Amino acid sequence: DRQASMSLDQIKSDSDRFKALCRIISLIRTIHDPEKLYKTITETARKITGMKRAALILQSDGKETFRILAASGGFDTGSVLTDRNIIAILNMARQLGYPLDILRTSIPNGQIGEAFLREHQSIICTPLWIQDEVTGFLYLDSPVGTTGTTDKDHSFLVALSQQVALGLERIILSDKVKHSAKSRPSGRITPGRSRERAAFQDIIGNSPSIKRIFDLIDGIKDMETTVLLTGESGSGKDLIAKTIHYTSSRSEKPFHSLNCAAIPRELIESELFGYERGAFTGAHRLTIGHFESANGGTIFLNEIGELPLNLQPKLLRVLEDRKFYRVGGTKEISTDVKIIAATNKDLHELVKTGKFREDLYYRINIFPIRVPSLKERKEDIELISRHFLTSFSRLYNIPEKKISPEAMAYLVNFDWPGNVRELENVINRMMIIVKSDTILPENLPDNIVQIPEGVRTEEKTSLEETVEQLLDNTPFSESDPLLPKIEGMIIRKVVDRVGAKTRAASCLGMSKPTLYSKLKNYEKNRG
C-alpha cells in the first residue's frame, strides 16, 4: 500500500501482471472503508488500462437503474447513471459475460449513438459477477483510440474483475450484517419489526449529510437526552425520530408520535397526560396519556412550536423531574420516556415573541439535529423512491413497479419544494395510475418534467403564422425536398427541449421507432 499503484507502462510481462494483481487483491481485502475501496478500484483500473475515465457501477436490485459507486478521470455524472449509451454498453457486456472492448468487438448498429462513439473511441466494460449474477460493471473509456488490448490484457481484466466482485460482495455482506445488528438491539427479532426498522435506513439515504446524521444518531441513541430535529416541512424528521428509537435499547417499547398542532384545544391536557375521571377522548377512555402509555419508550413531539403555552411548564416538569399529574387527579405519575421534538419554525424567534418558554427551549434544545431538505441530498432520491415503490406495492397488493433511468433523472433533478412528503405522494400516484410495470417520463407530473408550453400545446393561429414565416424565408427546390428537412429539424428541437425521446415521441404523435428513424435520416442528410 505504501508503493504507488502500477500503471500500464509498468505492466509489460506476465510477472508484472501477477505482481499488480497480487497488490490489488491485497488492497481490496484489507480496505474496510467502502468509499476508499471503490475509489481504489476505479483509479487502479484507469491507470493499468491507460484510459481517460473509469467508473464502478452497480445495478440496483436487479432493476434497470444503475448507481455509480465511484468514478475517476472526470467522469461527469451524478450518482444515478442516466446516459443511455453507457447503459446499452453495460447490457451488452452482461450478455457477453466477458470484457467488452469496442476495438475488438463489433457493436450492433443503432445500439450506441454515433456521436458518443466518436467522442469515446476506446471503451472497455468488464462485467462483475456478484452473488452469481452480473450486477456490477467496471466501465472505462477514452477519447483517443489505442492499439487495442491483447488476450493477456483481457485475461488480466477477468482476474481483476473477479477480485473486484469479491470485494464488493464483502462490502455488501458487511452492510447487511451491520443493518441486521442495528435492527436487533435486544438480541430478539420480532416478526415484521426488523423489516420495518431496516426500511427507515433505506428511506433516509446514504448522502454525506445523512451519513453525518447517522453518525450522530449512533452516538446519542442510548443517551438519556432530548433531541430537537429542525428542518423544512416534509424533510423526513419523523423518519429520523423513528430511526433513533428503533436502533436504540428502547426499540421494544412503544413509539408515540404526537402532532402538537393537532391536539384538541379544549382537551389538550387529557390528550397529553390522561384523565382520571370521565371519558370523552381516546386518552380519556384509556385513562392514561402519552407520557404514561409510552413509559420506557419514546415520544415524538412533532411541531413542538405549536405547543400551547399553558402546557409548556408541564412538559418542562416531565423533562426535568420525569413526573406529572394526570388531569383532574392528585396522584403523581412517574414516567421514563425519551423526548424527541421536531419543528420547522425558529424556536428562538418564538421565545423572543413570548410564544415559547425560554427555559423549555433550552431544555428541548440539548441535542439539535438539522435535517436537510431533499434538494440538498439528491443522492438519496433514488433510494427513497425505491422504498416508496416497495411500500405502496405491499399496501395495494400489486406487483412492484420500476422507474426508468430517464424518469429517475427527472426525479433527481427536480427541486422538491414539498421534500420527502411530496416525493411520497408522487410515487403513490404513479403506483395507482401507471398500468405498465415501468414508470416513464410521460407518466410524471408536468411540473417535474417541465415540458415547455410551446412543445405541449400551440394555438392554431401561432402555428399558421410560424409556417407562413418559414415558407417566406425558405427557397423551394424540387431536387431538395423541404418537408424532410423541416420535419427532422422539428423532431431534433423537440427532443432537445423535452430531454427524453419517449416523451418527445408522445408530444409529436409518433412512435418511438419512427422518431429514431427520422432522427437518423435527418442527422445523415445534414452531415
Side-chain angles (χ1 to χ4, degrees):
D1 195 12
R2 295 173 184 169
Q3 301 178 38
S5 58
M6 300 185 74
S7 58
L8 183 63
D9 58 356
Q10 294 176 279
I11 306 175
K12 300 178 179 178
S13 65
D14 290 343
S15 175
D16 290 337
R17 291 186 179 88
F18 182 72
K19 187 187 302 182
L21 188 59
C22 287
R23 186 179 300 173
I24 294 168
I25 292 172
S26 176
L27 286 172
I28 290 175
R29 292 186 178 180
T30 55
I31 293 176
H32 297 286
D33 180 359
E35 293 183 4
K36 186 178 180 182
L37 172 64
Y38 304 152
K39 182 178 179 181
T40 299
I41 291 171
T42 53
E43 189 66 22
T44 302
R46 187 174 68 87
K47 287 184 177 180
I48 63 177
T49 57
M51 291 290 190
K52 174 67 175 177
R53 305 189 307 169
L56 182 62
I57 302 170
L58 190 66
Q59 192 173 19
S60 300
D61 294 340
K63 310 289 176 60
E64 285 299 320
T65 304
F66 299 85
R67 292 188 60 80
I68 299 173
L69 300 180
S72 176
F75 202 96
D76 186 20
T77 185
S79 61
V80 179
L81 179 64
T82 58
D83 192 315
R84 297 300 301 166
N85 293 299
I86 297 180
I87 291 174
I89 292 171
L90 301 185
N91 287 324
M92 281 187 278
R94 189 210 324 270
Q95 294 174 1
L96 188 63
Y98 192 76
L100 171 65
D101 186 342
I102 66 168
L103 298 178
R104 294 162 56 93
T105 306
S106 298
I107 302 297
N109 291 333
Q111 292 286 331
I112 304 174
E114 294 179 6
F116 183 85
L117 291 174
R118 286 196 299 269
E119 293 174 6
H120 307 93
Q121 298 180 27
S122 296
I123 300 174
I124 297 177
C125 182
T126 304
L128 305 177
W129 290 83
I130 302 173
Q131 297 176 345
D132 299 325
E133 289 185 272
V134 175
T135 54
F137 303 88
L138 193 53
Y139 173 86
L140 307 109
D141 66 26
S142 184
V144 181
T146 65
T147 57
T149 51
T150 67
D151 290 338
K152 289 185 177 180
D153 293 328
H154 273 244
S155 296
F156 177 75
L157 282 173
V158 170
L160 170 64
S161 67
Q162 290 172 345
Q163 297 304 318
V164 169
L166 289 173
L168 289 177
E169 277 192 359
R170 180 172 59 82
I171 291 295
I172 293 171
L173 179 60
S174 176
D175 285 344
K176 286 183 178 179
V177 170
K178 287 179 181 177
H179 294 169
S180 176
K182 283 185 177 181
S183 69
R184 302 193 308 269
S186 65
R188 179 170 62 88
I189 301 178
T190 302
R193 178 72 66 82
S194 61
R195 289 194 298 272
E196 181 184 1
R197 294 176 193 161
F200 296 135
Q201 179 146 347
D202 291 341
I203 193 171
I204 292 172
N206 57 9
S207 61
S209 56
I210 293 300
K211 286 181 179 178
R212 285 194 292 271
I213 289 178
F214 268 102
D215 289 340
L216 293 173
I217 290 175
D218 195 50
I220 60 97
K221 61 187 180 183
D222 288 320
M223 292 175 61
E224 298 302 321
T225 183
T226 56
V227 178
L228 178 63
L229 303 175
T230 62
E232 298 177 10
S233 294
S235 55
K237 296 185 288 292
D238 57 329
L239 301 170
I240 298 287
K242 289 178 181 178
T243 303
I244 294 173
H245 173 77
Y246 285 114
T247 58
S248 74
S249 57
R250 295 177 180 264
S251 60
E252 300 301 326
K253 297 294 184 178
F255 177 87
H256 281 211
S257 181
L258 181 65
N259 190 327
C260 295
I263 301 174
R265 296 294 167 177
E266 69 277 10
L267 296 167
I268 48 182
E269 289 186 60
S270 61
E271 286 290 324
L272 272 179
F273 304 110
Y275 203 98
E276 286 193 346
R277 309 167 196 162
F280 298 99
T281 66
H284 287 160
R285 295 188 188 99
L286 295 172
T287 70
I288 55 174
H290 291 275
F291 284 96
E292 189 171 357
S293 58
N295 204 16
T298 303
I299 293 182
F300 174 54
L301 297 175
N302 196 15
E303 299 187 35
I304 189 71
E306 300 285 346
L307 188 68
L309 276 170
N310 65 316
L311 271 185
Q312 292 180 19
K314 299 183 178 183
L315 174 60
L316 182 64
R317 182 167 188 253
V318 170
L319 294 171
E320 296 285 359
D321 302 332
R322 295 189 177 276
K323 297 176 181 178
F324 66 91
Y325 287 101
R326 284 182 186 161
V327 180
T330 57
K331 182 181 178 182
E332 193 172 59
I333 308 296
S334 296
T335 183
D336 173 29
V337 291
K338 184 182 185 74
I339 305 296
I340 302 176
T343 183
N344 59 359
K345 296 185 176 181
D346 187 338
L347 291 186
H348 197 257
E349 287 298 318
L350 294 181
V351 169
K352 291 180 181 179
T353 57
K355 296 179 180 179
F356 204 85
R357 289 176 59 102
E358 187 174 21
D359 48 2
L360 179 60
Y361 167 72
Y362 287 113
R363 189 63 179 78
I364 284 283
N365 200 38
I366 290 179
F367 200 94
I369 297 177
R370 178 183 173 273
V371 182
S373 62
L374 198 54
K375 64 183 177 183
E376 297 177 66
R377 50 187 182 105
K378 290 182 176 292
E379 307 97 312
D380 298 334
I381 291 176
E382 183 191 353
L383 283 174
I384 298 172
S385 300
R386 285 166 46 203
H387 170 81
F388 285 141
L389 286 173
T390 301
S391 298
F392 290 123
S393 172
R394 292 172 180 169
L395 177 64
Y396 301 132
N397 194 27
I398 58 177
E400 186 173 335
K401 301 183 188 299
K402 60 185 179 182
I403 301 175
S404 72
E406 296 96 337
M408 182 60 72
Y410 280 116
L411 296 181
V412 170
N413 291 325
F414 189 58
D415 276 345
W416 298 107
N419 284 303
V420 176
R421 192 174 298 127
E422 182 181 7
L423 176 58
E424 180 182 17
N425 292 336
V426 167
I427 300 297
N428 187 8
R429 179 187 174 193
M430 294 303 99
M431 285 292 292
I432 295 172
I433 68 174
V434 176
K435 303 305 180 185
S436 64
D437 62 353
T438 302
I439 297 172
L440 301 173
E442 52 261 42
N443 302 132
L444 299 176
D446 287 346
N447 67 313
I448 294 178
V449 181
Q450 294 180 337
I451 308 168
E453 288 296 326
V455 175
R456 192 181 305 125
T457 55
E458 284 285 359
E459 294 294 332
K460 184 175 180 181
T461 54
S462 64
L463 280 173
E464 290 178 351
E465 292 171 356
T466 302
V467 173
E468 289 287 347
Q469 185 179 7
L470 177 66
L471 295 177
D472 289 342
N473 293 278
T474 305
F476 291 11
S477 172
E478 293 182 3
S479 60
D480 187 15
L482 185 61
L483 184 58
K485 290 194 296 185
I486 295 175
E487 187 180 50
M489 188 178 299
I490 291 175
I491 293 173
R492 177 76 269 169
K493 293 294 184 182
V494 171
V495 170
D496 290 342
R497 288 199 180 191
V498 173
K501 291 184 176 64
T502 302
R503 185 71 177 180
S506 298
C507 292
L508 291 165
M510 63 178 62
S511 67
K512 194 173 179 181
T514 300
L515 181 141
Y516 274 109
S517 177
K518 291 181 180 294
L519 267 182
K520 186 177 180 180
N521 291 333
Y522 171 69
E523 298 292 348
K524 180 181 178 180
N525 294 330
R526 189 175 66 166

